[in-house]
């Protein structure tokens, strides 16, 4: 399939191919939809096996950003950048400065920051050439650690799920299985424990497990389990905060929870198939791009002048938005991921209409 066919299939507006001989920079910026505002999305660096892989990734991720921005109603559309290279070998200050110049040349149509393979420090070089970077270190005007609002958003999503399933937000005595206790997962555990919940935890990195086990009151720690044991536990909510694609044929069959609510991106290996499998098993799924939108809310707020109270209020809004998603899914008898997509599409149409007024 040709590039224009791919763009038409997913509704992309623009693709930019970047190459700079001196620094070895090779990259792609994809702008999916700017109805809601300038495109926003991270910059990923990976040693892609082929140019097609890089293109496929940037098209898929930029479209995902339109939905993520839309679901929490920030004034941005979806975009993404990918740099083709090994983050451990191919980085240089000059490469990121050149990248900054390319981003600046887009004239404010695209804002970007960190993603897999890039760090806030990389973009300290880029911001010398452009004002279109978010999520910079605090001393460069960034808003700081996004794991904080992301974890809060997951906690709000868990409370909304409790409200929907059990009629109240009381988490005391509820049982949770948290997969991955890194930056976000460890904070989610803290929220759950403070709310009186009890937790199983797992991780592949023992020091993180030890830290969480130490910080959690003994009576609220149900167990520290091996990574492969986390799926089959008898809990109320499975909370994936590690990897994507963890909801698949094998794991869904094992689950013994009432709901899945976590921060990991792209949790469903195959959206349609595995979304339907969860529904058939009577397991409620909180769409990941809504549950984990706290970090996006924070970096998008930088473009409005970063007000922490506003970020907090908007992140708490994930609670109501998720209830709307569950309601639509139940009324229309459609999977929750599709209900979320539809709510976003309706919102984009409304914004398209109001922007028909010339200013
Ligand atoms: P992190 O790297 O700090 O934590 C991930 C943890 O998962 C690590 O401790 C790692 O050891 C563990 N892990 C890896 N493989 C595992 C496995 N097989 N079983 C159990 N544990 C495993 O990352 P993070 O920032 O905490 O993000 C967690 C997830 O949330 C990622 O999917 C990320 O894309 C997503 N997310 C993060 C943010 C954010 O603001 N940090 C925002 C949105 C989404």
């Amino acid at each position: 399939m040709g590039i224009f066919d791919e763009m038409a299939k997913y509704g992309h507006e623009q693709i930019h191919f970047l190459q700079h001989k001196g620094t070895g920079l090779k990259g792609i910026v994809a702008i999916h939809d700017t109805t809601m505002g300038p495109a926003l999305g991270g910059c990923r660096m990976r040693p892609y096996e082929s140019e097609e892989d890089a293109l496929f990734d940037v098209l898929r991720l930029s479209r995902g950003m339109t939905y993520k921005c839309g679901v929490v109603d920030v004034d941005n559309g979806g975009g993404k950048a990918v740099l083709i290279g090994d983050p451990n070998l191919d980085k240089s200050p000059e490469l990121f400065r050149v990248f900054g110049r390319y981003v600046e040349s887009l004239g404010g149509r695209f804002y970007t920051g960190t993603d897999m393979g890039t760090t806030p420090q990389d973009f300290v070089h880029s911001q010398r050439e452009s004002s279109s970077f978010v999520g910079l270190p605090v001393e460069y005007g960034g808003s700081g650690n996004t794991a904080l609002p992301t974890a809060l958003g997951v906690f709000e999503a868990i409370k909304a799920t409790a409200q929907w399933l059990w009629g109240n937000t009381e988490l005391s005595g509820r049982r949770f299985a948290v997969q991955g206790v890194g930056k976000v997962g460890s904070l989610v555990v803290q929220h759950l424990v403070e709310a009186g919940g009890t937790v199983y935890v797992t991780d592949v990195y023992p020091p993180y497990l030890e830290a969480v086990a130490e910080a959690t009151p003994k009576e609220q720690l149900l167990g520290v389990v091996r990574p492969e044991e986390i799926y089959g536990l008898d809990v109320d909510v499975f909370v994936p905060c590690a990897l994507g694609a963890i909801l698949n044929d094998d794991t869904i069959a094992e689950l013994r929870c009432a709901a899945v609510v976590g921060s990991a991106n792209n949790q469903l290996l195959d959206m349609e198939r595995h979304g339907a499998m969860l529904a058939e098993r009577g397991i409620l799924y909180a769409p990941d791009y809504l549950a984990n939108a706290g970090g996006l809310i924070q970096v998008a707020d930088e473009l409005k002048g970063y007000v922490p109270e506003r970020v907090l209020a908007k992140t708490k809004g994930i609670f109501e938005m998720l209830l709307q998603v569950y309601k639509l899914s139940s009324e229309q008898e459609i999977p929750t991921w599709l209900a979320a997509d539809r709510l976003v599409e309706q919102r984009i149409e409304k914004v398209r209409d109001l922007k028909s007024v010339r200013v």
Side-chain angles (χ1 to χ4, degrees):
M1 193 181 266
I3 290 178
F4 285 106
D5 291 332
E6 286 289 314
M7 288 175 76
K9 188 166 146 196
Y10 297 112
H12 285 80
E13 290 177 11
Q14 231 176 349
I15 304 181
H16 300 268
F17 292 88
L18 325 176
Q19 109 40 59
H20 182 257
K21 207 170 168 191
T23 58
L25 176 135
K26 260 195 204 167
I28 312 174
V29 173
I31 295 181
H32 177 250
D33 187 308
T34 55
T35 310
M36 311 262 294
L40 173 65
C43 171
R44 179 169 285 197
M45 185 168 191
R46 267 185 78 177
Y48 288 99
E49 280 186 11
S50 67
E51 291 168 9
E52 287 73 23
D53 284 357
L55 181 61
F56 178 75
D57 210 26
V58 78
L59 289 177
R60 184 181 63 91
L61 293 166
S62 55
R63 179 174 182 274
M65 285 308 299
T66 297
Y67 283 82
K68 196 163 171 161
C69 290
V71 80
V72 287
D73 204 13
V74 295
D75 296 330
N76 293 98
K80 202 87 181 183
V82 295
L83 298 178
I84 303 173
D86 185 331
N88 297 317
L89 300 175
D90 299 324
K91 285 184 180 180
S92 67
E94 293 74 22
L95 182 143
F96 282 98
R97 276 186 80 160
V98 169
F99 178 61
R101 293 187 68 79
Y102 279 118
V103 171
E104 186 64 12
S105 76
L106 302 180
R109 269 178 65 72
F110 176 59
Y111 289 84
T112 190
T114 54
D115 196 77
M116 267 168 55
T118 57
T119 66
Q121 211 54 43
D122 293 331
F123 299 116
V124 166
H125 306 296
S126 307
Q127 59 82 40
R128 294 175 66 178
E129 306 294 337
S130 168
S131 52
S132 295
F133 286 84
V134 293
L136 292 166
V138 176
E139 63 275 25
Y140 286 88
S143 56
N145 186 2
T146 55
L148 290 157
T150 303
L152 177 65
V154 171
F155 181 57
E156 291 296 326
I158 290 173
K159 286 196 294 185
T161 302
Q163 177 70 43
W164 181 258
L165 286 176
W166 305 304
N168 60 61
T169 57
E170 182 58 59
L171 299 183
S172 180
R174 293 269 170 216
R175 297 155 67 86
F176 301 92
V178 182
Q179 178 184 47
V181 285
K183 293 187 288 293
V184 177
S186 59
L187 294 170
V188 172
V189 168
Q190 242 178 54
H191 283 298
L192 293 174
V193 165
E194 276 166 26
T198 56
V199 292
Y200 286 102
V201 291
T202 193
D203 200 289
V204 290
Y205 187 58
Y208 286 171
L209 279 176
E210 284 156 26
V212 166
E214 208 161 288
T216 307
K218 290 214 170 4
E219 60 283 8
Q220 285 175 277
L221 186 64
L222 297 170
V224 175
V225 301
R226 288 201 302 273
E228 62 278 14
E229 291 172 339
I230 197 78
Y231 302 104
L233 300 168
D234 179 11
V235 290
D236 293 300
V237 185
F238 171 52
V239 188
C241 296
L243 312 164
I246 38 77
L247 298 172
N248 52 50
D249 288 355
D250 297 334
T251 59
I252 294 174
E254 273 188 61
L255 292 177
R256 290 164 68 203
C257 53
V260 178
V261 189
S263 76
N265 276 312
N266 305 318
Q267 291 167 27
L268 296 164
L269 175 62
D270 177 325
M271 199 112 89
E272 288 192 18
R273 177 179 160 72
H274 297 114
M277 261 180 90
L278 283 173
E280 276 158 28
R281 292 221 41 218
I283 298 170
L284 188 61
Y285 169 67
D288 46 19
Y289 67 74
L290 174 54
N292 72 16
L296 166 82
I297 291 172
Q298 178 163 302
V299 293
D301 203 76
E302 290 181 14
L303 303 176
K304 304 264 182 192
Y306 184 49
V307 180
E309 292 77 10
R310 183 167 57 198
V311 172
L312 186 69
K314 234 175 161 31
T315 304
K316 287 191 167 180
I318 289 175
F319 181 96
E320 278 305 326
M321 191 62 198
L322 185 56
L323 283 179
Q324 271 188 52
V325 167
Y326 288 156
K327 190 159 171 275
L328 186 72
S329 148
S330 149
E331 284 170 359
Q332 300 196 353
E333 296 180 10
I334 54 174
T336 50
W337 66 266
L338 186 57
D341 277 15
R342 288 206 180 148
L343 280 172
V344 172
E345 285 156 13
Q346 284 167 14
R347 184 168 278 164
I348 291 175
E349 280 321 305
K350 281 185 187 161
V351 174
R352 196 188 308 282
D353 178 53
L354 72 86
K355 288 201 176 181
S356 64
V357 174
R358 285 178 66 86
V359 288

